[in-house]
Amino acid sequence: MAPALEAQGGETLSQNSFLNSVGDVTNRSKVTVIGSGNWGSVASKLIASNTLRLSNFHDEVRMWVYEETLPSGEKLTDVINQTNENVKYLPGIKLGKNVVADPDLENAVRDANMLVFVTPHQFMEGICKRIAGKIRADAEAISLVKGMEVKMEGPCMISTLISHELGINCSVLMGANIANEIAVEKFSEATVGYRQNREAAERWVHLFYTPYFIVTAVQDVEGVELCGTLKNVVAIAAGFVDGLEMGNNTKAAIMRLGLREMKAFSKLLFPSVKDSTFFESCGVADLITTCLGGRNRKVAEAYAKNGGKRSFDELEVEMLQGQKLQGVSTAREVYEVLSHRGWLELFPLFSTVHEISSGLLPPSAIVEYSEKSPRSF
């Protein structure tokens, strides 16, 4: 099955520009992955397998690692480079001998013209400011980051933040991608969202595509990115349902209502968002898998089982071994947007998730929000 790119109307885009460049070793792209958590390590593994295979990429893949000292006293970067394994965030999986861990962010990005961002969204602005003016002029980026920045002037998507801070084109990759399943090469799909640059989209598709990781592209950055961002809020709601043992019917209802609010919120912020994007891997498929098996659902379940008496911060530290939740912070950011724009009544599920997560309502309120009688959209 060949990598597929879909433009408006669903037609397949030409891959000639990519294929014609395969033999051009004088213009090989160099890749750096900025982030080394669970998903960042899996992304590095995927990419590294392809840079060895495709002659228009340099073999080496740099992976920036936020340096940590392991219980053994060793530095995480040293252990990754010695064992070819991220023993903290992806134990038991070999990343590829061409993956080089680098604790120096500026050094890691210096020579790369393809930058893959995959860190918790709350750290992105600081990372971008650190490398602004220190990357190649011809660099392009892709964001695997779920979340948004909320500023006085309104919400800012992470891809927009990257473009504005670094002055480069930024695509996004989202999908039904539980990292540990992809790490052991179970079949999965993902969606690349791009703006105008189809050739850049082709390069990203080929960089990530493997027989077990099928990647398609659509010309809808905001739609793809908002799907990846907002599904974590719905997953928190699904976790509350699981923790309260409300059953599959209730969970299905919450997921359907969540998808409806995801679509409405996206189209209110960005009228250009396409309805069809919600049927890509980044949309309904990602929502389903995250509500069934993601970390946001898992921790929200524990929160509900404890009656909201233990904070999400406490549960995150206990349950995720250094990984970060996205759903709770995204719910807060979405709530800020809704409150500022007077949209709270339009989005009762999103609003209630934040109010439960912040301790204003009990977990059982997740099925009581419908009594607010929201206006239709």
Side-chain angles (χ1 to χ4, degrees):
M1 188 183 298
L5 293 105
E6 298 174 4
Q8 293 182 356
E11 72 270 18
T12 300
L13 303 183
S14 169
Q15 299 178 41
N16 289 341
S17 59
F18 178 85
L19 297 174
N20 289 340
S21 67
V22 166
D24 184 4
V25 297
T26 64
N27 192 32
R28 294 190 299 171
S29 294
K30 191 165 188 178
V31 183
T32 290
V33 178
I34 302 168
S36 58
N38 187 237
W39 185 211
S41 297
V42 173
S44 296
K45 176 182 184 290
L46 283 168
I47 290 167
S49 68
N50 281 332
T51 59
L52 286 177
R53 183 176 61 85
L54 300 171
S55 61
N56 62 325
F57 295 104
H58 283 277
D59 288 353
E60 181 183 284
V61 175
R62 287 264 159 182
M63 180 175 73
W64 174 63
V65 176
Y66 179 80
E67 190 66 280
E68 300 179 54
T69 301
L70 299 173
S72 64
E74 298 172 286
K75 298 293 186 183
L76 178 58
T77 300
D78 292 339
V79 175
I80 292 173
N81 287 331
Q82 290 164 9
T83 66
N84 191 229
E85 181 181 329
N86 189 333
V87 295
K88 180 169 183 179
Y89 296 109
L90 193 65
I93 300 295
K94 297 300 181 183
L95 302 180
K97 293 182 179 179
N98 53 323
V99 175
V100 177
D102 191 338
D104 185 330
L105 177 59
E106 293 177 19
N107 185 66
V109 303
R110 182 175 293 119
D111 298 325
N113 65 323
M114 298 185 78
L115 302 175
V116 180
F117 289 89
V118 53
T119 66
H121 77 275
Q122 55 265 40
F123 303 138
M124 278 302 303
E125 187 167 15
I127 287 172
C128 287
K129 289 186 182 302
R130 285 176 61 186
I131 63 175
K134 299 170 183 175
I135 61 174
R136 285 173 49 168
D138 64 341
E140 57 190 59
I142 193 165
S143 172
L144 281 60
V145 181
K146 282 87 172 177
M148 66 175 76
E149 292 280 331
V150 177
K151 302 177 181 294
M152 290 297 294
E153 60 271 23
C156 176
M157 303 310 299
I158 298 301
S159 64
T160 303
L161 173 72
I162 293 168
S163 292
H164 286 176
E165 293 288 344
L166 303 182
I168 60 177
N169 178 60
C170 185
S171 303
V172 298
L173 183 144
M174 307 284 162
N177 305 146
I178 292 179
N180 287 335
E181 295 182 9
I182 300 169
V184 294
E185 303 187 2
K186 293 183 178 180
F187 182 83
S188 183
E189 296 179 312
T191 309
V192 166
Y194 70 100
R195 287 192 169 86
Q196 303 298 328
N197 192 334
R198 296 184 181 185
E199 290 186 5
E202 290 178 352
R203 285 191 291 273
W204 291 121
V205 167
H206 283 83
L207 184 63
F208 282 93
Y209 187 100
T210 72
Y212 63 88
F213 192 71
I214 308 303
V215 185
T216 58
V218 296
Q219 193 173 1
D220 185 7
V221 168
E222 288 80 12
V224 173
E225 190 167 11
L226 276 164
C227 282
T229 296
L230 297 173
K231 54 94 179 185
N232 284 329
V233 180
V234 185
I236 296 289
F240 294 153
V241 169
D242 287 344
L244 296 170
E245 298 182 354
M246 291 179 171
N248 291 328
N249 291 340
T250 305
K251 189 170 181 178
I254 289 295
M255 291 166 65
R256 184 193 71 81
L257 294 167
L259 181 61
R260 186 177 71 174
E261 291 195 12
M262 286 170 56
K263 181 180 175 183
F265 184 81
S266 299
K267 292 176 87 62
L268 279 174
L269 285 183
F270 300 100
S272 63
V273 167
K274 301 173 183 176
D275 289 347
S276 59
T277 298
F278 294 89
F279 296 96
E280 299 289 342
S281 178
C282 63
V284 64
D286 194 9
L287 177 65
I288 291 169
T289 198
T290 307
C291 288
L292 294 180
R295 72 183 71 155
N296 291 279
R297 187 219 63 81
K298 175 182 176 182
V299 178
E301 179 182 24
Y303 182 87
K305 283 183 175 179
N306 284 278
K309 295 177 182 177
R310 298 183 66 192
S311 71
F312 272 98
D313 287 342
E314 180 184 355
L315 292 167
E316 176 186 86
V317 170
E318 178 182 304
M319 300 176 68
L320 299 185
Q321 290 79 50
Q323 296 182 64
K324 294 295 182 183
L325 282 178
Q326 299 299 307
V328 174
S329 56
T330 300
R332 181 182 65 250
E333 291 155 352
V334 169
Y335 192 89
E336 290 177 18
V337 174
L338 299 179
S339 180
H340 179 72
R341 301 198 177 195
W343 292 348
L344 286 173
E345 291 187 358
L346 278 173
F347 297 91
L349 181 63
F350 285 173
S351 302
T352 302
V353 168
H354 169 69
E355 290 166 357
I356 295 172
S357 301
S358 57
L360 297 175
L361 291 174
S364 59
I366 197 62
V367 293
E368 297 166 3
Y369 80 91
S370 58
E371 296 175 5
K372 298 178 182 178
S373 300
R375 290 172 283 169
S376 61
F377 37 65

